[in-house]
Amino acid sequence: MTDSTILPARLRVAPSPTGDPHVGTAYMSLFNLAYARKTGGAFVLRIEDTDRARYVADSERQIFQTLRWLGLPWDEGPDVGGPYAPYRQSERLDTYRPFVDRLIADGHAYYCWCSSERLAEMRETQAREKSATGYDRLCLGRTRDERATLPGFSETPVVRMLVPEDAPTSFVDVIRGTVNAPFPDDQVILKADGFPTYHLAVVVDDHLMGITHVVRGEEWISSTPKHLLLYRWLGLEPPAFAHMPLLRNTDKSKISKRKNPAARLTWFREQGYLPEALRNFLQLLAYPPADDASEVASFDEFVAHFDWQKVNTVGPIFDLDKLNWLNGHYIRSLAPAELAERVVEHLVWTEQWPADPDPVHAELVARAIPLVQERMVTLAEALAKLDFLFTADADLVVDPDALAKAGPDAGRVVEAATDALASLGEWTHEAIEAALRAALVDGLGLKPRFAFGPVRLAITGSNVSPPLFESMELLGRESSLARLAALA
Ligand code: GLU
């Protein structure tokens, strides 16, 4: 699968642990990993946790868990180690400081003591007067003591880039060709708390970790000129840049965790999507199917045909109908025993079942799965469809609407069914069906729909259910008769 004509590439995904991981992190990981595999290179997971205000403690664990669940493993990372450890930026603080000192010494960066109040006021004035935006360089060329005599002084300075007037704003993107980005501001690179900002840390780490291709979302295009300046000032060779399109809602707005539950990666697992279906779905976002005849493709097939030139820069629409279709496809292609295992895993993961499920229940899922496999779209639906099998007879709630519509014959039907089944020798779905047909269709002269409707209602509590006779076989004679008696 490895393409020996291309040099082994080193790629990374660099999520910030600011909450439940975003689906975009999985999307980026998929494309990064594909190219790493294609070139026989490496895929690195780096945790960018320098923004302490937005740090969420559990987020890193969720990132690990969801990416592993999706089958997107990293070769190097905080939890697996690697030659460039540590892979968590908060553990690399000593690494960044010498780079900052060098930029200051070379005149490419300067201290800024402006308080946040002063900066807010400055921005307000700029907006009101519609004048040039960006930092006004009040601190540039001043010592601490000189600056201290002016208003809006803060004791702990930040460090800013001194962006020259002729800073280049265009660059060549692997996917997009020449890209023009806005002129950069005098970006803060070291914060008052001593932490580097993303912009400095990303450049230093991508360099030190030997990253050859920076693949990230298009929202970072405007930052790239700043990064290129830093590479140039530090005398470093910049990596190649590839900016992937942003994922969009059906109304074309950017997918955000605030507005769309599907922006949360964990949501897909909660809903019972299979990781292979979600991965296949992500493979098709802004990217053509590997094969004209089918959108279904494994990760290996995706890698085999992988090419940056195929990425479409128009933000792909996140179409859940397609994901549902793919999920149904993958569910149908699993062996029933494997699907049953996935359903049990899902029930345990969502804490609907205990961590060590009752083996009798697990066995019942395995026997019932063939009844619902063809019609399931998500794993979560399995339990909904099979719930009646796991409900105690006394707790079964019969749908009142369905009961009201059951018709005047319902009582008679249930009684006749009970008589026919009580003495049944062998409790198999064939025998149950034969006995009920004889008693209800032939005996009472009812059409099958009217004959079996009340029985279905008694057994499952609903007038839509998995195949009735098979369901009764699974439920067993005793429960079936108890449920019929309850409705009679
Ligand atoms: N930490 C950035 C993020 O959260 C990474 C951006 C990049 O890949 O350079 O998306």
Side-chain angles (χ1 to χ4, degrees), residues 12-23:
R12 84 324 188 255
V13 71
S16 297
T18 55
D20 207 343
H22 192 280
V23 67

Side-chain angles (χ1 to χ4, degrees), residues 12-18 25 28 32 46-49 54 89 198 202 206 214-217 219-220 227 241 243:
R12 84 324 188 255
V13 71
S16 297
T18 55
T25 299
M28 291 309 131
N32 273 294
R46 185 173 67 228
I47 295 291
E48 301 208 325
D49 56 352
R54 295 180 63 219
Q89 290 186 326
Y198 155 72
V202 79
D206 284 339
V214 166
V215 178
R216 58 188 174 192
E219 69 269 35
W220 299 104
H227 302 172
F241 289 96
H243 289 93

Side-chain angles (χ1 to χ4, degrees), residues 335-348 353 357-373 376 379 382-384 386-387 389-390 474:
E338 157 99 42
L339 178 57
E341 259 174 48
R342 304 273 199 114
V343 167
V344 171
E345 248 169 50
H346 179 73
L347 291 168
V348 171
W353 278 19
D358 182 342
V360 176
H361 283 179
E363 167 68 20
L364 195 50
V365 168
R367 292 174 60 205
I369 275 297
L371 306 187
V372 292
Q373 182 164 16
M376 267 165 69
L379 296 178
L383 192 65
L386 298 174
D387 208 24
L389 289 175
F390 298 92
L474 289 179

Side-chain angles (χ1 to χ4, degrees), residues 287-309:
Y287 200 81
D291 166 352
D292 288 346
S294 171
E295 297 193 297
V296 175
S298 68
F299 179 65
D300 289 347
E301 289 167 300
F302 179 60
V303 170
H305 298 98
F306 191 82
D307 185 350
W308 293 116
Q309 300 315 312

